[in-house]
Amino acid sequence: MAGTGGRTTLRVTSNRPCPCCGSGGLLVKCEIAMEESVRCSNGAAIAPLKLFGQEYVPETWAMANMNMIIHDMEGQIEIGDTFKNPKFRNQAGKLRTFDRVVANPMWNQDWFTEADYDSDEFDRFPPGAGFPGKSSADWGWVQHMHASLKANGRAAVVLDTGAASRGSGNAGSNKEKTVRQWFVENDVIESVLYLPENLFYNTTAPGIVLFLNKAKETERQGKVFLVNASKMFEKGDPKNFIPEGGIQRIADTLISWQEEEKLSRIVEHDELKKNDYNISPSRFIHTSDAETYRPISEIVEELDDIEAEARDTDKALKEILEKIGI
């Protein structure tokens, strides 16, 4: 803490990057959320977070820089291909590491070949995990973010729901499942949040938020916390939205790791292994009402009554037809 001009200033040293920052919206929201949190807690003035991003598209990169200026934020936005030429490096030429990483990459990108991954010089694709497959770069992004975290770093990334389950339950090997298995067995995945459908402007599909933690608390090790918030939305035009109360409930649930019927569940790694490393909350948490099962004898008795009633109806109809000469 440092005194400045008679008011208290909280010096925040946390560094937060985004490897595919777009126009910088997520980085801006990190700053806004921190400011609101500090104001609610003690009203202290704050110093900005250190924010870093890299963007591939020049026009979007320019917008991100404008956003940083408009919101008076400290940081750096670089331009270039994060996979082939990550700009944030340390003095040894390796990836620079950060306290927090947030990202919403484009889903299911057909981005690289296996040779591109094999030639990687930044230790992002370790033995046992390797190349996640050409058809989707989702887990390639996750691997880059994991490699960009400090030893106690944490990350949150928005992905297609398929990233949580593709390849599970199929005979033979699957590259995405292999990477997912590596993350589970290395105990890096802390939580998975399943979002409602039709939230995003470029798709009606639901998504997930994958939370990574390289220094999980002892009581959370060997487990993954799953939250199925698929029903927690209100209809909007043109898109659905999660109301403020729902956002707060989701946040409280994730922070507390509190199990709640039809919403959240703590799943042991052994159970994830039995489910072939499917980590989708929808696999383990069912939000619909449970089906009601009736005894067979009761159903048979009801069918007998229906058949008897049908016979009586047929007899009455036959008598009426005979009376009118048909």
Side-chain angles (χ1 to χ4, degrees):
M1 304 289 288
T4 56
R7 67 176 184 172
T8 302
T9 300
L10 177 62
R11 287 291 168 187
V12 180
T13 58
S14 177
N15 295 326
R16 303 193 179 206
C18 182
C20 43
C21 70
S23 59
L26 272 179
L27 295 175
V28 171
K29 288 184 183 296
C30 286
E31 173 70 18
I32 293 173
M34 186 200 68
E35 291 176 356
E36 291 178 350
S37 175
V38 172
R39 278 198 298 270
C40 290
S41 60
N42 57 21
I46 57 172
L49 293 169
K50 298 286 187 179
L51 303 172
F52 301 85
Q54 184 165 338
E55 172 54 36
Y56 181 70
V57 180
E59 294 82 3
T60 315
W61 166 81
M63 291 173 63
N65 276 282
M66 287 300 298
N67 258 332
M68 295 284 283
I69 295 170
I70 291 170
H71 290 88
D72 192 25
M73 294 184 177
E74 294 185 12
Q76 183 179 353
I77 306 294
E78 293 285 356
I79 188 170
D81 188 321
T82 299
F83 272 134
K84 289 186 176 180
N85 185 22
K87 294 298 181 70
F88 298 107
R89 309 184 189 186
N90 59 27
Q91 292 182 343
K94 297 297 183 180
L95 288 181
R96 180 175 175 178
T97 55
F98 300 87
D99 300 295
R100 301 288 186 268
V101 178
V102 294
N104 180 14
M106 290 184 66
W107 298 350
N108 301 318
Q109 289 176 304
D110 179 2
W111 203 249
F112 288 121
T113 66
E114 191 162 359
D116 293 316
Y117 284 84
D118 287 341
S119 62
D120 180 66
E121 301 176 352
F122 303 100
D123 302 319
R124 292 178 290 183
F125 314 108
F131 172 52
K134 189 175 186 299
S135 62
S136 175
D138 289 356
W139 281 96
W141 284 113
V142 177
Q143 288 172 301
H144 172 83
M145 294 174 213
H146 173 258
S148 300
L149 288 173
K150 292 182 178 179
N152 62 344
R154 302 174 70 177
V157 52
V158 183
L159 298 171
D160 171 30
T161 53
S165 60
R166 274 191 295 264
S168 294
N170 296 335
S173 62
N174 175 274
K175 291 179 178 179
E176 276 192 285
K177 183 181 72 175
T178 298
V179 179
R180 203 162 55 238
Q181 177 179 343
W182 186 92
F183 274 85
V184 170
E185 293 181 345
N186 283 272
D187 212 2
V188 182
I189 300 175
E190 183 165 63
S191 305
V192 184
L193 168 64
Y194 194 100
L195 296 169
E197 63 182 10
N198 199 30
L199 291 181
F200 304 102
Y201 277 94
N202 56 347
T203 179
T204 60
I208 62 166
V209 184
L210 179 74
F211 297 91
L212 307 181
N213 188 346
K214 294 183 78 171
K216 291 169 70 172
E217 298 173 14
T218 302
E219 60 270 21
R220 297 185 178 185
Q221 292 175 5
K223 307 168 186 175
V224 175
F225 187 58
L226 305 179
V227 179
N228 188 345
S230 59
K231 302 296 184 183
M232 204 174 294
F233 69 93
E234 292 184 9
K235 289 286 187 180
D237 185 17
K239 290 292 176 178
N240 297 335
F241 65 96
I242 304 175
E244 287 296 326
I247 293 172
Q248 190 61 55
R249 184 183 175 194
I250 292 170
D252 291 343
T253 301
L254 285 165
I255 292 170
S256 65
W257 262 49
Q258 184 66 43
E259 288 189 309
E260 184 177 336
E261 187 178 0
K262 297 183 181 179
L263 177 63
S264 58
R265 188 179 165 209
I266 298 170
V267 181
E268 302 275 351
H269 283 182
D270 285 346
E271 187 172 357
L272 294 176
K273 182 178 180 180
K274 289 177 182 177
N275 283 272
D276 206 19
Y277 298 97
N278 183 332
I279 59 173
S280 175
S282 64
R283 170 79 175 187
F284 300 89
I285 305 165
H286 302 290
T287 58
S288 58
D289 293 332
E291 295 183 28
T292 301
Y293 295 94
R294 300 166 58 196
I296 295 295
S297 58
E298 180 181 314
I299 296 173
V300 171
E301 184 178 345
E302 185 175 309
L303 287 173
D304 288 341
D305 291 340
I306 293 172
E307 288 178 359
E309 185 176 328
R311 286 194 297 269
D312 292 341
T313 302
D314 288 343
K315 182 180 178 181
L317 178 59
K318 184 178 181 181
E319 290 175 353
I320 294 171
L321 294 176
E322 286 176 348
K323 286 180 180 180
I324 63 176
I326 297 178

